[in-house]
Amino acid sequence: MAEYKRPISESEFKKNFKLKKPLMNDTEAFYESSRCLFCYDAPCIEACPTGIDIPLFIKQIQTKNAEGAAKTIYDSNWLGNACGTICPTGVLCEGACVYNHQDVQPLQIGRLQNYATTSVIDADKKLYEAGTANGLKIAVIGAGPAGIACACEARVLGYEVDIFEAKENPTGLTVHGIAPYKITNEEVLKEFSFLQNQLGFTVHYNTAITTTAQIKDLEANYDAIFIGVGLGKTSKLGIEGENINGVIGAVEFIEELRMKHHLVQVPPKVIVLGGGNTAMDAASEAARMGANHVTLAYRRSKEEKGAYEFEYDLAKSAGVKGIFNCSPVEIIGKNNVEGVKFIKTQKFEGKLHPVQGTEFIVACDLVIKATGQAKQGDLYQLIDGLEIDNKTRITINSESFQTSNPKYFAGGDAINGGAEVVNAAYDGKMAAQGIHQWLTK
Ligand SMILES: Cc1cc2nc3c(=O)[nH]c(=O)nc-3n(C[C@H](O)[C@H](O)[C@H](O)COP(=O)(O)OP(=O)(O)OC[C@H]3O[C@@H](n4cnc5c(N)ncnc54)[C@H](O)[C@@H]3O)c2cc1C
Ligand code: SF4
């Protein structure tokens, strides 16, 4: 039974995708900030991958200094506004809040962070300016969170920065991939413009770096190059029927939804394949687009799924039904998809095995594959001496973020294989510092 009616206008889309963490007003922020215990050795700082001084910015909010709070946040994390609403705070900063030990609701750190940063973005407060030009140039490949963070930090250090971006919009998966009930396109792009206006890096849109000639050109014209290209398209499943009409990758499905909103039509019966956070998002989003039956199918057990529990709960609350221990063997349909044939699985001696004779078919009109994203190996091959690991992740020095080719630095999903925006923001910032150390040593 559908929980959501199909949205046919932007206002209906917004209603179905109502923000999970709405912006706090001044009163809410004041009262919430007054709950902070300002712990010595605050565990929330440790739990934040960018190490924001959380008690300090909360104190600043409490003393009505939202601008100071925003500066504290941005000094550690260039994507401070986006992270406030999209970080999985329950397993990061808020998960570490001491209130959890007392059965008291942890402090809403993410929303407070979003409150402070939104106030400076809306007022277009100038918090930063580019450092004195040092005459050196950095090329950044990819305008995702990692690339943006690297560009901002490098500008403060006095470098000229050119970002080369394959798409027509900046911010990577933040605008193309993250669920619309976590953040809106407007919010993401507003933070980006806020940063670009004060720091003045250049972005060359619709400029994918894909050839050796382009790479040689970058090497000849820039003193250092940062790779922040994230991951690629959804990986192939390698089963029969995968190319039938009505089979789509989760990343591609979500990107279309983020760009076209209510103009995307989701049919009544949807099967999402996968057990990670992307699968939960795709299933939740299909349900919010008015699909009557959304089935999430994962080949392992419920306990083994990679997704955070809260993401699964969110999908269930949108009407998604999970089926576990079943693996897709064939996608069925003549011209359009009609269903998926599964086989039951069980674990034996630590390995997953199909159980012969247990095939069954679930009917559907759309299959969304959320079974992982391919890596950007084709690009990496173009770069001399660039070492990648056996999972096609770029190998870096964990302190400097320098790769095995000293002119190149890297960060974000390209080095970790897929994590969170906050990790990419940290990597980009640290890589700019690494570049600075290398070029000025
Ligand atoms: C469906 C989905 C939901 C997610 N939800 C969350 C969430 O709720 N919270 C969270 O914190 N994280 C979430 N993530 C993870 C998060 O989006 C990523 O970890 C983060 O965006 C990685 O940043 P990045 O800069 O490394 O890569 P990306 O964001 O992928 O950006 C890479 C950029 O490089 C560009 N590019 C790629 N190749 C080239 C090339 N050859 N030349 C030029 N440009 C190129 C791309 O167009 C893109 O703009 C989600 C991911 C997915 C897939
Ligand atoms: S960046 Fe994310 S993890 Fe760090 S304090 Fe902010 S919301 Fe928490």
Side-chain angles (χ1 to χ4, degrees):
M1 193 64 186
E3 311 273 328
Y4 290 92
K5 236 179 76 196
R6 195 187 134 216
I8 53 167
S9 63
E10 184 60 20
S11 63
E12 286 184 12
F13 179 86
K14 277 194 178 143
K15 204 169 134 219
N16 284 13
F17 286 85
K18 194 165 151 240
L19 288 175
K20 300 305 298 170
K21 291 186 183 173
L23 187 62
M24 280 181 174
N25 62 33
D26 294 344
T27 315
E28 284 174 307
F30 179 74
Y31 280 108
E32 187 62 12
S33 59
S34 68
R35 293 207 301 127
C36 185
L37 299 173
F38 306 109
C39 310
Y40 176 73
D41 271 352
C44 53
I45 304 181
E46 279 287 305
C48 169
T50 53
I52 294 175
D53 191 338
I54 297 164
L56 174 60
F57 92 68
I58 290 179
K59 184 93 195 160
Q60 288 166 317
I61 291 177
Q62 218 215 332
T63 52
K64 306 239 173 8
N65 177 10
E67 184 177 332
K71 178 84 169 48
T72 302
I73 294 159
Y74 279 119
D75 280 349
S76 293
N77 181 339
W78 290 110
L79 278 297
N81 187 255
C83 284
T85 52
I86 65 181
C87 269
T89 49
V91 294
L92 296 174
C93 52
E94 293 172 18
C97 179
V98 292
Y99 276 132
N100 289 296
H101 302 300
Q102 299 166 4
D103 258 353
V104 176
Q105 184 84 359
L107 216 74
Q108 297 183 60
I109 297 167
R111 286 184 71 202
L112 285 168
Q113 177 170 318
N114 195 247
Y115 165 83
T117 47
T118 301
S119 76
V120 293
I121 293 173
D122 284 350
D124 204 13
K125 288 262 184 229
K126 194 159 172 64
L127 297 185
Y128 296 93
E129 56 186 41
T132 310
N134 62 17
L136 298 171
K137 287 169 74 180
I138 297 177
V140 171
I141 312 179
I148 295 168
C150 180
C152 291
E153 190 75 8
R155 287 296 292 143
V156 170
L157 294 167
Y159 293 86
E160 193 180 322
V161 179
D162 280 316
I163 308 186
F164 298 88
E165 168 54 49
K167 298 198 170 169
E168 61 181 320
N169 288 309
T171 75
L173 285 171
T174 319
V175 80
H176 293 114
I178 287 168
Y181 44 79
K182 290 187 186 162
I183 197 161
T184 65
N185 297 10
E186 294 75 34
E187 281 174 288
V188 176
L189 298 176
K190 228 168 147 184
E191 177 170 51
F192 173 80
S193 301
F194 170 76
L195 296 169
Q196 193 182 26
N197 288 345
Q198 32 200 300
L199 290 166
F201 48 84
T202 305
V203 188
H204 304 271
Y205 293 106
N206 299 310
T207 310
I209 303 297
T210 54
T211 66
T212 309
Q214 285 176 305
I215 289 287
K216 295 291 166 218
D217 211 36
L218 294 183
E219 288 173 0
N221 290 304
Y222 293 89
D223 299 285
I225 301 165
F226 175 75
I227 311 172
V229 291
L231 305 175
K233 294 193 165 139
T234 302
S235 314
K236 286 230 168 278
L237 271 176
I239 60 172
E240 206 178 313
E242 198 174 348
N243 297 324
I244 299 176
N245 225 355
V247 182
I248 187 171
V251 177
E252 292 74 20
F253 168 75
I254 296 170
E255 179 169 349
E256 200 185 354
L257 192 76
R258 284 296 305 249
M259 294 298 116
K260 297 190 187 157
H261 289 186
H262 62 282
L263 301 176
V264 173
Q265 289 200 13
V266 176
K269 283 176 275 165
V270 180
I271 294 180
V272 180
L273 302 174
N277 289 319
T278 299
M280 303 303 151
D281 279 358
S284 240
E285 289 164 42
R288 282 163 204 268
M289 288 302 287
N292 292 325
H293 300 281
V294 182
T295 307
L296 183 106
Y298 181 49
R299 63 199 176 104
R300 296 179 185 275
S301 68
K302 195 189 321 184
E303 295 67 38
E304 288 170 293
K305 67 184 180 321
Y308 297 126
E309 207 53 42
F310 73 87
E311 296 280 18
Y312 182 48
D313 288 343
L314 202 61
K316 281 192 296 184
S317 71
V320 173
K321 189 176 151 237
I323 56 171
F324 294 88
N325 284 115
C326 59
S327 181
V329 285
E330 184 186 343
I331 293 172
I332 294 167
K334 287 196 183 83
N335 299 321
N336 296 311
V337 67
E338 291 165 21
V340 178
K341 186 193 273 186
F342 291 97
I343 190 162
K344 290 192 177 166
T345 60
Q346 69 178 21
K347 229 172 176 181
F348 179 62
E349 292 182 343
K351 280 195 174 158
L352 203 65
H353 294 275
V355 182
Q356 295 312 319
T358 61
E359 288 92 343
F360 64 99
I361 292 173
V362 180
C364 69
D365 330 281
L366 177 71
V367 175
I368 303 176
K369 296 181 292 177
T371 43
Q373 284 174 263
K375 310 287 184 345
Q376 305 270 33
D378 289 351
L379 172 67
Y380 307 155
Q381 274 180 12
L382 306 177
I383 300 166
D384 288 339
L386 186 75
E387 199 178 294
I388 51 172
D389 69 10
N390 59 3
K391 291 184 174 163
T392 327
R393 296 174 300 199
I394 301 172
T395 309
I396 49 128
N397 172 307
S398 59
E399 274 170 29
S400 65
F401 288 73
Q402 191 166 32
T403 72
S404 51
N405 178 330
K407 192 156 191 166
Y408 287 85
F409 292 71
D413 284 0
I415 64 164
N416 59 36
E420 314 289 347
V421 166
V422 65
N423 304 100
Y426 174 78
D427 294 355
K429 183 181 172 77
M430 298 316 288
Q433 299 276 359
I435 291 171
H436 187 56
Q437 291 292 320
W438 181 62
L439 289 175
T440 57
K441 75 174 176 232

